[in-house]
């Protein structure tokens, strides 16, 4: 279905119309259904229930609570830190996670400062009666991480990586082919910090395992995919400062490929750089070194 709007009809075999909806522009992670289930008016649900009845709170319009406010910006920090979360929504509850997953109505309730003494991803949402839960706010705290290279931090439900049924980083048990060889895309939040501490970009995204034979290596390449259904079609940032491009729809976090050994990481980009600046009439990929964190 087109997120910009459209029409959907449910028909009987004789073309009798059972139900019909013309919908307008949609928001990520919000479904539309009848409330009460099957009989009432169409409404919006910020807790979709695929393959089940519409049993969660229903809303007549898009009305999101405000995202929680973090007392400490994400990025590089030295020593243990304390992070407090706050909201201006009266009577609201903040729920948070530390494992990379998106907070839900059953996630831990924030009740006091969060102590952090190692690289950690904090994700939080505001829940308040009468409004949809806020968008998920994500901050990665790079505690005592050397600030000598840029960092890309990916936060996602651990099951999206390591679950034996839906995880993309494992052999798994739910398919005839190892999961890491399947074209499975999963949702995540991605942040990039420059080595001077500046935030390059932070947004929801899709990601999947990238590569061919190298997918079998312990460390795997990841392709980041900006899509409208996650909120934005592009990463609006000049990732490669010596290029004229200021936005990208795809980025690949590459390991050494089939070369494997960590001391050969430079060989792959070196081959591309030999073709740079017109030295060879060949297409090449630009690169820059980064440190990648998965759920902290």
């Amino acid at each position: 279905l087109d997120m910009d709007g459209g029409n959907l009809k449910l028909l009987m075999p004789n073309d009798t119309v059972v139900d019909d909806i013309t919908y307008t522009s949609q928001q990520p992670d919000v479904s539309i259904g009848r409330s009460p289930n099957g009989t009432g008016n169409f409404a919006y649900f910020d807790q979709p229930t695929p393959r089940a009845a519409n049993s969660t709170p229903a809303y007549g319009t898009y009305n999101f609570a405000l995202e929680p406010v973090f007392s400490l910006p994400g990025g590089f920090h030295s020593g243990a830190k304390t992070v407090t979360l706050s909201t201006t929504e009266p009577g609201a509850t903040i729920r948070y996670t530390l494992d990379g997953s998106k907070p839900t109505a059953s996630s831990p309730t924030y009740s006091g400062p969060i102590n952090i003494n190692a690289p950690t991803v904090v994700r939080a949402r505001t829940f308040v009666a009468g409004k949809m839960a806020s968008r998920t706010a994500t901050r990665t705290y790079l505690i005592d991480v050397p600030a000598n290279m840029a960092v890309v931090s990916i936060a996602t439900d651990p099951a999206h990586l390591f679950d034996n049924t839906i995880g993309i980083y494992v052999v798994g048990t739910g398919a005839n082919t190892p999961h890491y060889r399947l074209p499975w895309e999963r949702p995540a939040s991605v942040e990039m910090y420059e080595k001077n501490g500046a935030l390059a970009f932070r947004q929801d995204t899709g990601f999947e395992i990238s590569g061919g034979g190298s997918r079998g290596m312990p460390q795997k390449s990841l392709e980041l995919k900006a899509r409208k259904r996650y909120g934005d079609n592009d990463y609006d940032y000049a990732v490669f400062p010596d290029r004229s491009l200021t936005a990208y729809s795809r980025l690949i976090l590459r390991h050494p490929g089939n070369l494997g050994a960590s001391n050969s990481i430079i060989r792959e980009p070196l081959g591309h750089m030999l073709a740079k600046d017109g030295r060879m009439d060949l297409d090449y990929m630009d690169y820059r070194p980064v440190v990648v964190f998965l759920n902290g």
Side-chain angles (χ1 to χ4, degrees), residues 64-198:
F64 293 96
L66 298 174
E67 291 183 11
V69 176
F70 288 68
S71 64
L72 187 70
F76 298 98
H77 295 279
S78 297
K81 299 296 179 186
T82 298
V83 178
T84 60
L85 305 175
S86 60
T87 178
T88 57
E89 295 279 8
T93 297
I94 297 175
R95 297 184 180 274
Y96 73 99
T97 63
L98 301 178
D99 65 353
S101 61
K102 179 179 176 180
T104 67
S106 60
S107 296
T109 300
Y110 173 78
S111 59
I114 302 170
N115 297 316
I116 298 174
N117 56 20
T120 303
V121 177
V122 180
R123 307 190 76 185
R125 297 175 78 189
T126 305
F127 293 79
V128 61
K131 291 186 177 182
M132 295 182 176
S134 73
R135 300 298 190 197
T136 301
T138 304
R139 301 291 185 275
T140 299
Y141 296 102
L142 302 168
I143 304 298
D144 293 333
V145 173
N148 52 17
M149 288 205 301
V151 167
V152 172
S153 172
I154 296 173
T156 188
D157 190 318
H160 293 152
L161 292 168
F162 305 118
D163 181 79
N164 277 331
T165 302
I166 66 170
I168 65 174
Y169 216 94
V170 296
V171 174
T173 57
N176 294 327
T177 303
H179 290 188
Y180 53 73
R181 297 200 181 279
L182 297 173
W184 285 359
E185 183 175 330
R186 296 291 181 258
S189 171
V190 61
E191 299 165 84
M192 179 177 177
Y193 292 96
E194 295 287 4
K195 62 182 181 180
N196 65 1

Side-chain angles (χ1 to χ4, degrees), residues 168-267:
I168 65 174
Y169 216 94
V170 296
V171 174
T173 57
N176 294 327
T177 303
H179 290 188
Y180 53 73
R181 297 200 181 279
L182 297 173
W184 285 359
E185 183 175 330
R186 296 291 181 258
S189 171
V190 61
E191 299 165 84
M192 179 177 177
Y193 292 96
E194 295 287 4
K195 62 182 181 180
N196 65 1
L199 174 67
F201 60 84
R202 176 193 296 120
Q203 67 191 69
D204 289 340
T205 189
F207 77 110
E208 66 178 61
I209 304 296
S210 178
S214 66
R215 289 170 178 255
M217 302 297 292
Q219 185 186 49
K220 306 184 190 306
S221 296
L222 301 173
E223 182 175 357
L224 303 178
K225 296 185 172 185
R227 296 188 189 276
K228 185 175 180 179
R229 70 170 179 257
Y230 301 117
D232 197 335
N233 276 330
D234 300 290
Y235 306 106
D236 295 316
Y237 184 71
V239 176
F240 304 101
D242 60 335
R243 309 293 294 175
S244 61
L245 294 173
T246 58
Y248 296 83
S249 61
R250 301 288 186 272
L251 294 169
I252 298 178
L253 303 170
R254 297 194 63 162
H255 67 72
N258 295 334
L259 299 173
S262 60
N263 61 6
S264 64
I265 289 177
I266 193 63
R267 292 172 62 179

